[in-house]
Amino acid sequence: MVHEKVTVSTGTLQWKCVESRVDCKRLYYGRFILAPLMKGQADTIGVAMRRALLGEIEGTCITRAKSEKIPHEYSTIVGIQESVHEILMNLKEIVLRSNLYGTCDASICVNGPGYITAQDIILSPSVEIVDNTQHIANLTEPINLCIELQIERNRGYRIKTSNNFQDGGYPIDAVFMPVRNANYSIYSYANGNEKQEILFLEIWTNGSLTPNEALHEASRNLIDFFIPFLHAEEENLHLENNQHKIPLPLFNFHDGLTKSRKNKKEIALKYIFIDQSELPPRIYNCLKRSNINTLLDLLNNSQEDLMKINHFRIEDVKHILDILEIEKHFAY
């Protein structure tokens, strides 16, 4: 545990972690302060940060299970101590960490008797189990149990519905939120003739990321939400003065891809995700919202296509060109 004495600067705004601990592999705690703030500012920041921490940070979990031995979600299977419903609930609790985008497959295939735990899940390299000891099922007889799993990275939560039942698979309530809880409190004090505030922020996570990482991610997401407003005035001017448009140089990302298609190493671009490139947060989020996840996706879009993305500018395209030259060099 790390626990620091709270000292508040009377000058510039500063934040600090004053307490952190790891209660177990699936429960991290952190306590932070932000000060000095003017009266009313702590509540404004606290409300926004709490909502961002609980609703805007992406997490990874198991969203579907399928097995030939499962006749129905509420059935029991001879040789397995738990009911099918209990197994699905145990799978729901498995904590995963990943840089995954979209979905991927995983599986469990175990011969009994014996216990099935999280360490028996066969995963892709992009997914990691936080706690290998998490219990899934107990096989009491010498039977074979194979379960196909679907893993997804997303945000918020998704409740299973009747529309989710397909191909003999059973959907699992998906709780993607890595932050288990977040609270804030405010301490007011007098600084001369002025009243100032200290914001205390408490964060509990499931171990897939630390409270410090959660705070950083939530802050970045909040900043990205407000960036479009910063450019609202210049975009209005851009619309009103069409004659001042910057002419786009004749360049097509797809041309570069076509010329090098004969090179088999081009396939490597399919496995380089844009988050591995040093893109500014605003450009990164614009591309993600347009379902551009890899360098190959990026190369398959023309410059004109990119300029159609909301809040994308000519400077952003030039920035991407510079990064692509570097990434393509290493990819080949």
Side-chain angles (χ1 to χ4, degrees):
M1 176 190 293
V2 178
H3 196 167
E4 296 188 17
K5 184 179 179 180
V6 177
T7 56
V8 180
S9 169
T10 57
T12 58
L13 187 65
Q14 295 181 354
W15 77 276
K16 187 176 184 180
C17 177
V18 294
E19 183 179 357
S20 66
R21 66 173 184 263
V22 179
D23 292 334
C24 65
K25 289 183 178 180
R26 288 176 281 135
L27 184 58
Y28 285 44
Y29 171 80
R31 190 166 183 249
F32 306 87
I33 63 168
L34 181 67
L37 294 166
M38 302 299 292
K39 182 175 176 60
Q41 290 180 339
D43 194 52
T44 300
I45 299 171
V47 170
M49 285 301 304
R50 185 175 186 275
R51 292 182 68 89
L53 284 164
L54 293 174
E56 300 300 331
I57 301 179
E58 292 187 342
T60 306
C61 64
I62 299 171
T63 57
R64 183 176 293 273
K66 180 181 179 181
S67 175
E68 295 180 356
K69 289 183 176 291
I70 300 179
H72 191 272
E73 180 182 358
Y74 297 99
S75 63
T76 58
I77 301 174
V78 176
I80 302 180
Q81 180 175 310
E82 292 81 3
S83 67
V84 173
H85 179 72
E86 288 173 326
I87 294 174
L88 294 176
M89 291 301 98
N90 290 337
L91 290 172
K92 173 185 175 181
E93 297 297 324
I94 302 296
V95 179
L96 303 172
R97 179 192 295 117
S98 80
N99 57 3
L100 174 72
Y101 290 101
T103 62
C104 73
D105 296 327
S107 63
I108 300 172
C109 196
V110 178
N111 293 316
Y115 288 97
I116 302 177
T117 61
Q119 69 178 353
D120 296 307
I121 302 176
I122 303 171
L123 296 164
S124 69
S126 61
V127 184
E128 178 185 350
I129 297 171
V130 171
D131 185 0
N132 285 325
T133 65
Q134 284 189 265
H135 179 74
I136 297 175
N138 178 23
L139 305 185
T140 58
E141 297 183 14
I143 65 170
N144 176 264
L145 178 64
C146 290
I147 304 175
E148 299 175 17
L149 303 174
Q150 177 180 284
I151 293 174
E152 183 177 347
R153 181 179 173 85
N154 211 318
R155 66 181 185 87
Y157 60 89
R158 184 172 63 234
I159 304 299
K160 63 183 179 181
T161 64
S162 56
N163 296 331
N164 296 137
F165 290 84
Q166 54 185 333
D167 301 327
Y170 295 89
I172 299 172
D173 290 340
V175 182
F176 298 104
M177 301 180 294
V179 175
R180 287 189 171 186
N181 194 13
N183 289 326
Y184 75 93
S185 57
I186 300 169
Y187 173 76
S188 299
Y189 64 99
N191 183 18
N193 295 326
E194 295 184 352
K195 286 188 176 181
Q196 294 188 324
E197 298 176 337
I198 303 174
L199 174 65
F200 289 86
L201 189 64
E202 295 180 288
I203 303 172
W204 292 261
T205 70
N206 64 1
S208 62
L209 78 174
T210 66
N212 201 327
E213 292 170 333
L215 185 61
H216 178 270
E217 185 70 18
S219 301
R220 190 177 69 177
N221 288 339
L222 281 177
I223 291 170
D224 290 342
F225 285 143
F226 291 106
I227 282 178
F229 294 108
L230 297 178
H231 303 288
E233 183 176 350
E234 63 184 58
E235 287 198 8
N236 287 336
L237 290 174
H238 179 74
L239 292 173
E240 294 172 2
N241 301 286
N242 290 331
Q243 65 273 21
H244 297 300
K245 286 184 178 179
I246 302 174
L248 300 179
L250 294 176
F251 182 88
N252 194 310
F253 289 113
H254 192 267
D255 291 342
L257 177 63
T258 304
K259 292 176 182 178
S260 60
R261 195 175 294 279
K262 293 181 181 180
N263 193 331
K264 293 183 179 179
K265 292 185 179 180
E266 183 73 32
I267 300 174
L269 294 174
K270 182 179 179 181
Y271 300 100
I272 301 178
F273 292 93
I274 61 172
D275 64 322
Q276 296 172 259
S277 304
E278 296 182 357
L279 291 171
R282 188 179 61 79
I283 298 178
Y284 170 84
N285 283 304
C286 285
L287 295 175
K288 286 295 295 178
R289 293 188 186 105
S290 298
N291 202 30
I292 297 175
N293 300 313
T294 67
L295 289 190
L296 192 59
D297 295 337
L298 194 55
L299 286 168
N300 280 326
N301 282 270
S302 68
Q303 180 169 291
E304 287 73 20
D305 292 333
L306 292 179
M307 289 302 297
K308 293 177 183 178
I309 298 174
N310 287 339
H311 315 303
F312 223 74
R313 301 175 301 193
I314 184 65
E315 292 83 1
D316 301 334
V317 175
K318 292 177 180 178
H319 190 96
I320 288 175
L321 286 175
D322 293 337
I323 290 179
L324 276 176
E325 288 301 318
I326 297 173
E327 295 289 355
K328 286 174 68 177
H329 173 75
F330 287 105
Y332 291 100

